[in-house]
């Protein structure tokens, strides 16, 4: 098989994968023990995906960028379709796993389409909570890290306490915080900020401390003051570490967010998952998990876009 035919098959692999998924869905009936969905949402999704993949396959003959992308990622999309087919057979078609815990694709998709307003409301509440917590966590972590990294006196007096308190998981403070703060919202913001604060301050202080002393000596020789040394020498040199701290902090923030919302929150993705689990409606639980995955991916991808713009000289060093 020559390279041209092989590349053609790789580009057409997503179409074949969707066709196989659609064939299995139409040819094999769902097990009778599953609740019947109001509509065939999964079928409609497969028809949409089939149309999209056929369109991109056709465009690949005219656009090199699409052709190269499909050639590279086509087999992966085919493998993903096969995984979806296997899960569909195990759960919906043959009910090899407990029906109550493993619903059909139709029932999961029904949650998104029939509870859209509630889900959007939960996403907005989680987003607002996350942004506030991350903002205060990054701000306080950055300030603490700068003081610890630049001042030996501050490091001497403060760092032992941070070593003691910092490693404690933020979620472990929830019982105490809920009784201290007047509202669950304020307590949740504090928990998220605490989860973000420690990795940001740790990486910021480490980045500043690892900055070559030659830079500071040259700055002093040229008459640079403390402010210039901190914000024109130390912080720019520590930016790779700071972004790594923010990345780790955001990952910790999602854990804290989901946990905090399960205690006293009225809305939010974490609250929604907890509520659906209590009601034994596991289609909603899976819908919530999908929202978390998408939510987390969008936030971290945006962070890496900012990092790529600010640290162009480190392009390709850390990938997402």
């Amino acid at each position: 098989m020559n390279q041209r035919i092989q590349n053609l098959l790789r580009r057409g692999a997503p179409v074949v994968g969707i066709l196989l998924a659609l064939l299995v869905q139409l040819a094999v009936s769902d097990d009778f023990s599953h609740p019947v969905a109001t509509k065939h949402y999964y079928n409609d999704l497969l028809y949409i995906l089939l149309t999209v993949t056929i369109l991109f396959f056709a465009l690949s003959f005219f656009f090199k960028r699409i052709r190269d992308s499909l050639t590279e990622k086509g087999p992966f999309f085919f493998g993903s379709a096969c995984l979806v087919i296997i899960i569909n057979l195990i759960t919906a078609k043959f009910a090899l796993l407990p029906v109550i815990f493993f619903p059909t694709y139709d029932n999961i998709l029904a949650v998104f389409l029939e509870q859209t307003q509630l889900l959007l409301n939960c996403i907005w509440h989680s987003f607002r909570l996350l942004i506030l917590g991350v903002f205060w966590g990054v701000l306080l972590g950055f300030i603490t890290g700068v003081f610890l990294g630049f001042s030996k006196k501050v490091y001497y007096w403060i760092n032992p306490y941070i070593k003691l308190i910092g490693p404690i998981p933020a979620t472990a403070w929830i019982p105490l915080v809920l009784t201290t703060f007047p509202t669950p919202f304020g307590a949740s913001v504090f928990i998220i900020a605490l989860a973000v604060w420690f990795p940001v301050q740790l990486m910021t202080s480490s980045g500043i401390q690892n900055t070559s002393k030659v830079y500071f000596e040259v700055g002093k020789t040229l008459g640079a003051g403390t402010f210039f040394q901190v914000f024109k020498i130390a912080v720019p040199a520590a930016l790779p570490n700071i972004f790594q701290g923010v990345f780790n902090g955001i990952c910790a923030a999602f854990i804290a967010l989901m946990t905090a919302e399960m205690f006293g929150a009225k809305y939010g993705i974490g609250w929604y998952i907890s509520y659906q689990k209590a009601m034994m409606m596991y289609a909603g639980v899976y819908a919530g998990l999908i929202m978390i995955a998408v939510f987390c991916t969008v936030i971290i991808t945006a962070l890496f876009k900012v990092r790529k713009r600010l640290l162009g000289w480190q392009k390709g060093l850390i990938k997402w």
Side-chain angles (χ1 to χ4, degrees), residues 236 239-240 243 303-314:
L239 269 180
F243 270 101
L303 174 64
F304 268 81
K305 292 290 184 182
V306 175
R307 184 189 186 280
K308 182 179 179 181
R309 181 173 293 273
L310 293 178
L311 301 176
W313 52 275
Q314 278 204 330

Side-chain angles (χ1 to χ4, degrees), residues 18-283:
I18 299 299
L19 282 173
L20 287 175
L22 184 59
L23 178 63
V24 170
Q25 177 65 9
L26 296 176
V28 184
S29 301
D30 290 349
D31 189 271
F32 69 92
S33 58
H34 281 283
V36 179
T38 54
K39 293 182 180 179
H40 297 296
Y41 295 111
Y42 179 55
N43 295 30
D44 296 338
L45 177 62
L46 288 177
Y47 286 126
I48 293 172
L49 291 176
L50 181 61
T51 303
V52 171
T53 53
I54 291 175
L55 176 61
F56 274 93
F57 178 72
L59 291 175
S60 68
F61 289 95
F62 305 98
F63 298 96
K64 184 177 184 301
R65 185 174 179 180
I66 297 177
R67 180 165 60 252
D68 293 341
S69 180
L70 279 180
T71 301
E72 177 187 358
K73 300 178 181 179
F76 172 78
F77 290 136
F78 176 79
S80 299
C82 291
L83 179 61
V84 170
I85 292 171
I86 293 172
I87 295 174
N88 193 24
L89 290 172
I90 293 175
T91 57
K93 302 305 179 183
F94 302 134
L96 300 179
L97 297 173
V99 170
I100 189 171
F101 299 118
F102 297 93
T104 64
Y105 290 147
D106 280 331
N107 288 323
I108 296 174
L109 292 172
V111 175
F112 288 103
L113 297 174
E114 296 174 6
Q115 301 182 25
T116 305
Q117 189 61 43
L118 176 59
L119 294 178
L120 290 176
N121 198 12
C122 290
I123 291 173
W124 164 245
H125 278 76
S126 293
F127 179 76
R128 185 180 61 165
L129 192 59
L130 182 71
I131 290 299
L132 286 173
V134 169
F135 171 78
W136 287 111
V138 170
L139 179 63
L140 296 176
F142 174 77
I143 294 173
T144 308
V146 168
F147 275 106
L148 289 171
F150 196 76
S151 174
K152 292 183 179 180
K153 291 183 178 180
V154 174
Y155 184 86
Y156 175 82
W157 288 105
I158 302 298
N159 193 57
Y161 297 104
I162 293 180
K163 285 183 178 180
L164 181 65
I165 298 174
I168 300 176
T171 52
W173 297 93
I174 287 179
L176 180 62
V177 171
L178 286 175
T179 59
T180 304
F181 280 77
T183 63
F185 182 83
S188 299
V189 171
F190 177 82
I191 290 296
I192 296 170
L194 184 62
V196 176
W197 164 78
F198 179 67
V200 172
Q201 72 82 22
L202 178 64
M203 297 307 300
T204 301
S205 61
S206 298
I208 293 176
Q209 290 172 348
N210 291 328
T211 302
S212 176
K213 304 302 180 185
V214 175
Y215 298 150
F216 296 108
E217 293 173 359
V218 171
K220 288 181 180 179
T221 303
L222 297 176
T226 302
F227 182 88
F228 186 94
Q229 291 183 54
V230 171
F231 292 100
K232 296 295 183 179
I233 298 177
V235 172
L239 269 180
N241 294 71
I242 295 173
F243 270 101
Q244 186 175 350
V246 173
F247 173 80
N248 294 334
I250 289 179
C251 293
F254 274 98
I255 299 174
L257 171 68
M258 295 301 111
T259 306
E261 284 185 339
M262 293 179 182
F263 294 90
K266 295 182 179 180
Y267 288 102
I269 302 176
W271 166 85
Y272 181 81
I273 292 175
S274 179
Y275 172 76
Q276 294 293 311
K277 180 182 177 182
M279 300 297 293
M280 299 295 288
M281 299 172 63
Y282 278 86

